[in-house]
Amino acid sequence: MDLSELIEIAEHERASRRSIRIRCCTALGCQSAGALSLKQRLEEAATEVERQDIEVIGVGCMGLCGNGPLVMVDPDGVLYEHVRAADAPSIVAALDGGEATAPLGDPQHPFFTGQKRIVLEHSGIIDPERIESYIAAGGYQALYHVLHEMTPADVIDVITRSGLRGRGGAGYPTGLKWATVAKSHGNRKFVVCNADEGDPGAFMDRSIIESDPHKVLEGMAIAAYAVGADQGYVYVRAEYPLAIQRLQKAIAQARRLGVLGAQIFDAGFTFRVDIRVGAGAFVCGEETALMASIEGRRGQPRPRPPYPAESGLWGQPTLINNVETYANIAPIIRHGAEWFASIGTETSKGTKVFALTGKIRHTGLIEVPMGATLRQIVEEMGGGVPDGHVKAVQTGGPSGGCIPATLLDTPVDYESVQRVGSIMGSGGMVVMDDATHMVDVAHFYMEFCKDESCGKCIPCRAGTAQMLHMLDVIRAGQATPADLEQLEQLCLMVKETSLCGLGQSAPNPVLSTLKYFRAEYEALLNHNADRATTEP
Amino acid sequence: MAARTFTINDQLVSGREGETILEAARENGIYIPTLCHLDGVTSVGACRMCLVEIEGSRTLRPACVTQVVEGMVVHTDTERLRNYRRIIIELLFAERNHICAVCVANGHCELQNLAIAIGMDHVRFDYAFPVCEVDISHGRFGIDHNRCVLCTRCVRVCDEVEGVHTWDIAGRGADARVITDMRQPWGESTSCTSCGKCLLACPTGAIFRRGATVSEMERDPTKIAFIVAARDQRW
Ligand SMILES: Cc1cc2nc3c(=O)[nH]c(=O)nc-3n(C[C@H](O)[C@H](O)[C@H](O)COP(=O)(O)O)c2cc1C
Ligand code: SF4
Ligand code: SF4
Ligand code: SF4
Ligand code: FES
Ligand code: FES
């Protein structure tokens, strides 16, 4: 495989396209609403009318998953929502002046126009099951460019200057992490893609893989070249069968074309990728637990240092990044560090993908430039709460916090979100309306953390169980003001003493709701009760 | 091996390169409470009893796995650490059923000793009173999950010293339990050699000698380090 062959594939793919393309979302959200039978009916309908200029293709997520199945017709850009299989003939007939029975969507809605698509640039546009479709969109050219025209140090320099930070939650500078792995000594090095995505309400990474798997693979290959690795692993949870299937297909296709495997682009670079399927424990998203799981051991975190960059898989230097982080790599190489650094805010560059859910009119997946305000996201793009008002926005899942409606003008970047007591997290964004009781919210997340605690360290194992119990007592109206104080103390203790990020952040939903909605806790307290503490 | 000079609790101390804060502190006669640490087996930093403050470090660090660094300033006995250690011990007492007065390890229990050293006179949390099993299927030993603190000392000693790996952990969080083999009763374990090292390693009354009654489980966990030293010096 060389560049001319790659360009040939791209040109052939583009030339064989028909002028009218009916794009049908076949990502999981729309699949669960019946997109597969819809796609089949669309194909049948297109065949029936015997027109050679129509084609039906399955594409990845278009974003507005809550209104799925979605169908988009090119080149006119007509969007249909909530499409049933029975609507298919009318959609094809509409191309000849008929009337479609499916509701029309508005592609000019702020939900779409407010986005800036880098990670999701191909999502909903290309066919994720065909590598040719990715190549036609310019795919794997960044990898070619890197292998033939850049040294590993050049690549790291570009990523560093781009200002990209890890999208897995903590926002660690990606270039710095790559540089550390590149400098570490080992017999072998590994590159790992973290697609565990365990936060309730989050589906960004699943959607990225389902919609554009090659982009993640290309990012991993570039990373492997930069740090000197020859083996990659994608760690995906078993609950994501479609993502796994598409990834398997993508890896097989990439190997067949020689863009993965030995001697990629005849540049003396070898990189293989394998999938490791996790059993769905939230803690296995934590990097040291994830690596233990890949090695076949119990998925439990271990103290750091040593960091994976120094001693990771089988004791070798290992680069571990999130799906979305890798998906940013090829665009940065293609357009340059300066381009990427010009998007976003001073400290947070580029875009962030959010899974917008909860009490909101338009649920789905959006990608916005860093620094967009919560108000823009929730009220303009998301269309606000259907009936009622926004009370709070939860970001960061069980590790994050609730931001009250009064702070909706907070720009979404790592530092600002942290300043108001939450975290950017991996991209879950749950909107809550006035009917939501914040103590219930805290309870929900604490129950999640208690169930997902691995049990290794005492503060998290016994602390989450105890905090959950205390929230139960509060909800039952049996807690005293002293109990509330004790809960706060325990929160601080668990935060400061737990071994890994799960325990360290488990108290955040309680602490942030206490900070902004303390009155709701206090209203539940029993000021007359004198609850005796347990005597030994 | 190069020496490292640093400060613990305003006292200038020396340690060796690669040594942990815990080791250096002990050599210098400074006490840091521990529970999951056991001389002779790998440290896992799990119980968090040994957390110390290091000036300039944002987070508390476990002394049992943190290496000494030239010039570091360590505090092992601050108000905050004392408070957190007490909460850890209280959480353990509330988590399972520790009724010292009728326990085989009464008077010889590391958990009890820690509670006394910390001055824990009562537990401020509600007890969970979980239903826990007692397995006395093994001919010589028994395991009482009511007393287990999940320190994994038994797991590590059996794996690393006896080389058997009879013990492991099953389940997650509060449901986690130490298990033998594939969660068979201990007596049906085909791997256990009945060496008794787990019994030596256990800090509480969880693993006991059958026939032992209240306060009779006296044992000397330092023997593990002795066995390891003896093994390592043979060639
Ligand atoms: C409990 C816990 C769960 C985590 N889950 C994920 C996850 O699902 N996906 C992810 O990318 N990172 C997760 N992380 C963060 C990873 O440990 C790691 O920091 C990240 O994968 C690094 O990638 P990045 O630098 O690209 O963000 C989790 C961390 C913790 C503590
Ligand atoms: S903080 Fe929780 S999840 Fe992390 S190691 Fe401790 S018990 Fe396990
Ligand atoms: S008696 Fe020895 S072999 Fe048996 S479980 Fe205990 S340590 Fe392992
Ligand atoms: S049985 Fe004893 S040694 Fe094993 S984990 Fe429980 S308390 Fe620790
Ligand atoms: S899954 Fe179809 S639009 Fe997101
Ligand atoms: S002794 Fe260090 S964490 Fe348990």
Side-chain angles (χ1 to χ4, degrees):
Chain A
M1 181 66 129
D2 58 29
L3 188 60
S4 60
E5 285 171 79
L6 198 66
I7 290 170
E8 206 175 296
I9 293 173
E11 279 171 357
H12 180 263
E13 176 74 11
R14 282 195 288 261
S16 57
R17 266 187 206 155
R18 300 189 180 175
S19 57
I20 298 174
R21 316 182 88 203
I22 303 180
R23 288 186 273 133
C24 176
C25 171
T26 57
L28 197 71
C30 289
Q31 268 202 18
S32 62
L36 286 185
S37 53
L38 166 65
K39 178 170 173 259
Q40 200 188 343
R41 290 290 290 120
L42 283 167
E43 280 163 355
E44 285 163 12
T47 319
E48 273 162 28
V49 296
E50 289 180 7
R51 279 178 56 167
Q52 301 307 310
D53 57 343
I54 303 178
E55 64 178 353
V56 176
I57 64 165
V59 295
C61 177
M62 298 187 196
L64 199 54
C65 315
N67 294 5
L70 295 186
V71 171
M72 184 99 174
V73 185
D74 293 337
D76 295 336
V78 183
L79 175 69
Y80 298 103
E81 300 177 352
H82 299 293
V83 189
R84 295 158 303 151
D87 297 322
S90 72
I91 287 178
V92 174
L95 293 168
D96 273 323
E99 184 137 351
T101 51
L104 272 179
D106 175 13
Q108 294 312 314
H109 189 280
F111 184 89
F112 296 107
T113 56
Q115 298 200 35
K116 166 96 190 154
R117 292 189 152 218
I118 297 173
V119 169
L120 302 178
E121 58 183 342
H122 306 135
S123 185
I125 295 171
I126 67 165
D127 181 348
E129 305 208 359
R130 294 182 59 248
I131 190 170
E132 296 81 7
S133 195
Y134 179 67
I135 292 174
Y140 288 109
Q141 290 189 20
L143 177 61
Y144 182 90
H145 177 76
V146 160
L147 294 185
H148 284 277
E149 278 147 56
M150 294 172 84
T151 63
D154 292 340
V155 180
I156 292 173
D157 179 57
V158 169
I159 300 302
T160 306
R161 283 190 293 112
S162 76
L164 176 66
R165 295 169 66 175
R167 301 296 194 238
Y172 191 81
T174 306
L176 184 58
K177 198 186 267 189
W178 288 23
T180 314
V181 180
K183 284 196 189 92
S184 296
H185 294 288
N187 302 330
R188 231 187 141 178
K189 289 181 190 176
F190 298 98
V191 162
V192 176
C193 174
N194 188 342
D196 190 57
E197 197 168 56
D199 308 24
F203 52 91
M204 304 75 53
D205 296 345
R206 168 172 67 70
S207 194
I208 292 168
I209 294 178
E210 283 173 5
S211 307
D212 200 3
H214 286 287
K215 197 171 192 198
V216 179
L217 295 177
E218 187 176 4
M220 287 178 73
I222 293 170
Y225 174 72
V227 303
D230 65 352
Q231 172 70 49
Y233 293 101
V234 185
Y235 189 86
V236 203
R237 52 178 42 227
E239 289 93 330
Y240 284 180
L242 183 63
I244 294 171
Q245 181 204 323
R246 289 198 169 156
L247 205 50
Q248 276 168 338
K249 206 174 224 177
I251 292 172
Q253 290 171 347
R255 292 191 71 136
R256 203 173 322 118
L257 282 189
V259 292
L260 280 184
Q263 297 295 322
I264 298 171
F265 289 126
D266 299 318
F269 169 64
T270 295
F271 182 57
R272 295 192 171 81
V273 178
D274 288 300
I275 300 174
R276 288 292 175 268
V277 177
F282 176 54
V283 73
C284 284
E286 195 280 339
E287 54 191 27
T288 58
L290 185 148
M291 292 186 309
S293 174
I294 289 182
E295 290 176 14
R297 292 184 288 119
R298 179 176 160 88
Q300 263 188 339
R302 59 155 175 80
R304 299 171 306 176
Y307 287 89
E310 234 179 289
S311 173
L313 282 174
W314 298 284
Q316 305 298 326
T318 302
L319 173 71
I320 173 160
N321 275 129
N322 166 261
V323 173
E324 192 180 329
T325 312
Y326 285 121
N328 272 299
I329 301 303
I332 292 175
I333 298 293
R334 254 187 277 128
H335 304 294
E338 290 68 27
W339 163 80
F340 192 81
S342 70
I343 304 160
T345 67
E346 193 55 42
T347 56
S348 308
K349 301 300 185 190
T351 58
K352 181 75 195 83
V353 180
F354 287 101
L356 199 54
T357 54
K359 295 287 168 54
I360 188 155
R361 205 164 265 126
H362 307 299
T363 50
L365 212 63
I366 53 161
E367 181 174 358
V368 291
M370 294 275 189
T373 64
L374 283 171
R375 192 180 302 287
Q376 283 168 330
I377 297 173
V378 172
E379 293 188 343
E380 290 173 28
M381 304 176 69
V385 174
D387 25 45
H389 298 98
V390 179
K391 180 173 185 177
V393 179
Q394 214 281 347
T395 66
S399 320
C402 296
I403 304 170
T406 48
L407 293 174
L408 275 187
D409 290 314
T410 306
V412 179
D413 62 59
Y414 291 99
E415 281 71 24
S416 305
V417 179
Q418 199 154 14
R419 217 171 293 126
V420 295
S422 187
I423 60 162
M424 174 83 97
S426 54
M429 193 178 274
V430 186
V431 179
M432 293 157 186
D433 67 1
D434 347 274
T436 317
H437 199 293
M438 300 316 275
V439 182
D440 292 346
V441 173
H443 187 272
F444 169 82
Y445 285 110
M446 189 55 74
E447 187 161 31
F448 178 85
C449 289
K450 182 220 148 216
D451 287 345
E452 294 296 331
S453 162
C454 81
K456 177 170 180 167
C457 71
I458 302 165
C460 169
R461 181 186 76 229
T464 52
Q466 197 60 244
M467 288 188 287
L468 183 68
H469 168 72
M470 292 163 98
L471 287 169
D472 278 331
V473 174
I474 291 173
R475 291 208 305 171
Q478 288 172 351
T480 66
D483 289 332
L484 189 60
E485 210 170 285
Q486 195 187 13
L487 173 63
E488 261 180 300
Q489 279 230 344
L490 185 57
C491 282
L492 288 179
M493 178 268 180
V494 172
K495 201 176 165 73
E496 287 196 29
T497 57
S498 290
L499 193 162
C500 87
L502 195 157
Q504 287 159 9
S505 61
N508 286 353
V510 177
L511 287 171
S512 80
T513 47
L514 267 172
K515 178 169 175 187
Y516 296 115
F517 304 95
R518 197 180 183 90
E520 294 189 24
Y521 284 85
E522 283 171 348
L524 289 170
L525 295 183
N526 187 342
H527 291 266
N528 303 318
D530 180 22
R531 252 167 45 83
T533 51
T534 321
E535 298 296 331
Chain B
M1 234 179 268
R4 294 280 179 271
T5 316
F6 65 107
T7 312
I8 305 183
N9 304 343
D10 304 324
Q11 178 184 335
L12 211 54
V13 298
S14 72
R16 280 182 290 271
E17 183 187 357
E19 204 173 36
T20 63
I21 295 175
L22 179 66
E23 287 165 326
R26 285 184 175 174
E27 277 161 24
N28 288 279
I30 298 165
Y31 168 73
I32 298 175
T34 59
L35 181 58
C36 67
H37 172 84
L38 176 66
D39 283 342
V41 297
T42 316
S43 286
V44 287
C47 74
R48 320 304 279 171
M49 279 305 285
C50 70
L51 288 180
V52 296
E53 290 176 16
I54 299 174
E55 286 184 14
S57 162
R58 205 168 39 85
T59 52
L60 302 174
R61 308 295 294 275
C64 66
V65 292
T66 307
Q67 291 185 3
V68 298
V69 173
E70 180 73 27
M72 76 195 319
V73 180
V74 182
H75 299 277
T76 71
D77 197 30
T78 63
E79 183 69 37
R80 169 165 70 149
L81 293 173
R82 279 197 298 269
N83 176 31
Y84 286 169
R85 284 173 190 149
R86 173 166 173 169
I87 296 179
I88 291 176
I89 296 298
E90 285 183 52
L91 285 172
L92 282 179
F93 273 91
E95 183 181 38
R96 297 224 177 151
N97 306 304
H98 296 275
I99 323 253
C100 300
V102 295
C103 180
V104 288
N106 193 11
H108 316 289
C109 171
E110 291 184 34
L111 178 63
Q112 195 180 47
N113 292 345
L114 284 168
I116 294 165
I118 275 154
M120 184 197 91
D121 48 5
H122 71 293
V123 173
R124 292 164 292 180
F125 301 107
D126 288 347
Y127 282 113
F129 295 125
V131 177
C132 295
E133 260 181 61
V134 180
D135 175 358
I136 48 163
S137 57
H138 191 283
R140 295 170 54 199
F141 317 123
I143 161 91
D144 180 354
H145 293 278
N146 290 290
R147 311 282 196 258
C148 174
V149 293
L150 293 173
C151 67
T152 69
R153 279 160 56 157
C154 55
V155 178
R156 284 172 283 150
V157 79
C158 184
D159 176 53
E160 297 174 20
V161 185
E162 180 63 2
V164 170
H165 205 128
T166 296
W167 292 103
D168 212 320
I169 304 273
R172 212 163 50 204
D175 299 328
R177 294 287 182 274
V178 286
I179 56 161
T180 41
D181 283 2
M182 302 304 278
R183 208 166 196 166
Q184 282 104 339
W186 193 355
E188 289 168 27
S189 159
T190 49
S191 67
C192 175
T193 63
S194 303
C195 70
K197 291 190 180 68
C198 52
L199 180 97
L200 271 180
C202 183
T204 69
I207 300 182
F208 56 91
R209 199 181 307 106
R210 285 191 58 178
T213 181
V214 176
S215 309
E216 287 186 354
M217 271 309 299
E218 204 172 343
R219 71 222 118 151
D220 182 8
T222 62
K223 280 185 184 158
I224 300 292
F226 179 80
I227 295 169
V228 172
R231 180 188 66 185
D232 289 352
Q233 278 158 27
R234 215 184 55 197
W235 61 88

